[in-house]
Amino acid sequence: MGDISCSNGISSGNGVNGKSHSSQNGYRKSCWYEEEIEENLRWCFALNSILHTGASRYQDIALLDTKPFGKALVIDGKLQSAEVDEFIYHESLVHPAFLHHSSPKTVFIMGGGEGSTAREILRHKTVEKVVMCDIDEEVVTFCKAYLVVNREAFCDPRLEVIINDARAELEIGKECYDVIIGDLADPIEGGPCYKLYTKSFYEHTVKPRLNQGGIFITQAGPAGIFSHTEVFSCIYNTLRQVFKYVVPYSAHIPSFADTWGWVMASDSPFMLSADELDTRIKQRIKGENRYLDGKTFSSASTLSKAVRKSLDSETHVYTEGAARFIYGHGSVHKQNQPKLIRNGLMEEAPTKSTK
């Protein structure tokens, strides 16, 4: 879970290489966001302010103004995206599937309440309809209000926003789609999303809702040299049980302090070269990508030797009874709201609330 602390601390004077980095007379005042990535590893960065906090029936929500990464959205103590580098995540999530499809017109987004995935999809000229289905109305309302970069996407007439469980919506609906995207929260123990990473869900709910030649793409958690065995490798192996062609790929996200993974799957082969991808980018996408082009995708889908060996040997299939989770906990295991630490005394953090 993520914590926010502000402190008036006294530096010990022992900085890097013995040099002190404290302010005058060893006194400094700072406010930090801290996230526990593993049991013995924490990631923290300085804040300008805590812009808003709130809580829905499903999740805790916070919008932070960070010094290194700009505005950052945090849900259940896990950083979801940051203003400075979210384009890496969302271009990687969206464009490979859309470029490999011959002519994607209809799209279903599972999750995606932030609006950034819809924003990238709506840049594709062939797209006629996008259904964004998020279980948490308060997250969607929160992001509409405070993430200015996505306001145009939320106003696009091609976008339909549905507040429902994505699984239930796909099961009761009759429409099929050219692309289905899993922009879900990470599979966290106690969180609302882990059941949407299972073999039964992919096989009996997702695949029947894909048109001929359709493509499914999901974010698949940390994919670093040490972290990829948390969920990335088993999500990949699970999709291999359901689809004929499955492509894992990854990219470094600075604000996540790790390499991140996605898995793309279809019963139609992925055949495009880097040059062919670049041609489609020029023909189909409005504006210029900041991160992804043909060579970038070729590089992203060429995983390191260690990760390739691990994925090839993975045997675990993700089921509700044999789920894997990334480190951390969801709303069932909520901690208290963020506190300030001043001179060793705990007190409530002064925040604006969305409630």
Side-chain angles (χ1 to χ4, degrees):
M1 294 290 287
D3 292 313
I4 300 167
S5 64
C6 297
S7 60
N8 296 334
I10 304 298
S11 169
S12 67
N14 296 322
V16 177
N17 297 326
K19 297 179 181 179
S20 173
H21 296 279
S22 61
S23 55
Q24 188 175 8
N25 298 323
Y27 179 85
R28 65 183 181 186
K29 182 178 181 180
S30 57
C31 189
W32 294 79
Y33 170 77
E34 181 181 87
E35 182 173 320
E36 192 167 345
I37 299 174
E38 298 175 9
E39 186 175 0
N40 298 310
L41 179 63
R42 294 187 176 188
W43 168 238
C44 62
F45 40 83
L47 302 181
N48 291 312
S49 62
I50 304 166
L51 297 176
H52 294 277
T53 63
S56 72
R57 60 180 289 196
Y58 300 105
Q59 301 162 122
D60 291 328
I61 314 160
L63 185 65
L64 312 177
D65 182 10
T66 77
K67 291 182 183 293
F69 301 117
K71 292 179 182 177
L73 177 67
V74 177
I75 294 179
D76 273 347
K78 290 288 184 180
L79 182 68
Q80 302 298 304
S81 71
E83 186 177 20
V84 166
D85 62 6
E86 59 87 8
F87 68 94
I88 304 172
Y89 173 94
H90 290 103
E91 287 186 19
S92 297
L93 173 67
V94 169
H95 299 309
F98 280 75
L99 294 169
H100 279 93
H101 195 283
S102 59
S103 182
K105 294 181 172 62
T106 57
V107 189
F108 188 93
I109 308 171
M110 302 188 300
E114 171 186 348
S116 300
T117 296
R119 180 197 70 214
E120 292 300 317
I121 291 170
L122 291 165
R123 293 176 56 209
H124 283 260
K125 299 173 185 177
T126 61
V127 169
E128 298 174 356
K129 180 180 180 180
V130 180
V131 177
M132 186 184 86
C133 183
D134 198 290
I135 196 172
D136 199 330
E137 185 172 14
E138 292 193 43
V139 168
V140 176
T141 302
F142 185 97
C143 293
K144 276 185 180 179
Y146 300 118
L147 300 184
V148 179
V149 68
N150 295 332
R151 284 183 181 170
E152 185 177 340
F154 278 115
C155 294
D156 194 302
R158 293 173 292 171
L159 178 65
E160 177 185 0
V161 178
I162 295 175
I163 304 301
N164 197 4
D165 178 86
R167 182 176 199 156
E169 191 65 29
L170 286 170
E171 287 176 347
I172 63 175
K174 296 181 179 179
E175 186 172 356
C176 290
Y177 302 90
D178 296 321
V179 179
I180 297 178
I181 293 186
D183 186 19
L184 301 163
D186 300 316
I188 297 174
E189 188 172 6
C193 293
Y194 79 93
K195 295 180 181 180
L196 277 64
Y197 291 93
T198 61
K199 179 177 182 288
S200 62
F201 176 66
Y202 294 148
E203 187 171 23
H204 301 300
T205 304
V206 171
K207 192 172 182 178
R209 288 287 170 263
L210 284 171
N211 288 322
Q212 182 71 29
I215 298 174
F216 173 66
I217 176 74
T218 183
Q219 79 91 7
I225 192 73
F226 300 120
S227 60
H228 71 276
T229 56
E230 288 186 73
V231 294
F232 180 60
S233 60
C234 71
I235 291 172
Y236 165 71
N237 185 57
T238 302
L239 283 166
R240 284 200 300 177
Q241 314 306 309
V242 179
F243 293 92
K244 292 181 181 178
Y245 303 95
V246 181
V247 177
Y249 58 100
S250 63
H252 179 67
I253 312 291
S255 62
F256 289 1
D258 205 347
T259 300
W260 213 253
W262 301 266
V263 183
M264 183 168 61
S266 179
D267 280 344
S268 299
F270 302 108
M271 302 291 288
L272 297 182
S273 68
D275 289 341
E276 289 169 324
L277 287 171
D278 285 336
T279 298
R280 287 193 174 184
I281 287 172
K282 292 177 182 178
Q283 293 172 342
R284 295 186 181 185
I285 299 180
K286 298 176 184 177
E288 185 175 351
N289 286 348
R290 296 174 63 188
Y291 178 75
L292 191 111
D293 62 5
K295 288 182 179 179
T296 302
F297 180 73
S298 295
S299 174
S301 56
T302 305
L303 304 176
S304 70
K305 177 182 178 181
V307 175
R308 289 198 314 272
K309 287 183 66 177
S310 183
L311 265 61
D312 288 343
S313 62
E314 179 65 77
T315 59
H316 189 90
V317 175
Y318 205 108
T319 66
E320 290 187 23
R324 286 184 181 176
F325 306 102
I326 69 165
Y327 188 81
H329 296 287
S331 57
V332 171
H333 304 276
K334 283 181 184 176
Q335 295 182 350
N336 293 331
Q337 289 294 319
K339 305 285 186 178
L340 296 186
I341 304 173
R342 287 197 178 97
N343 300 324
L345 300 176
M346 299 294 293
E347 56 185 82
E348 297 292 336
T351 62
K352 298 179 180 179
S353 175
T354 59
K355 295 290 286 179

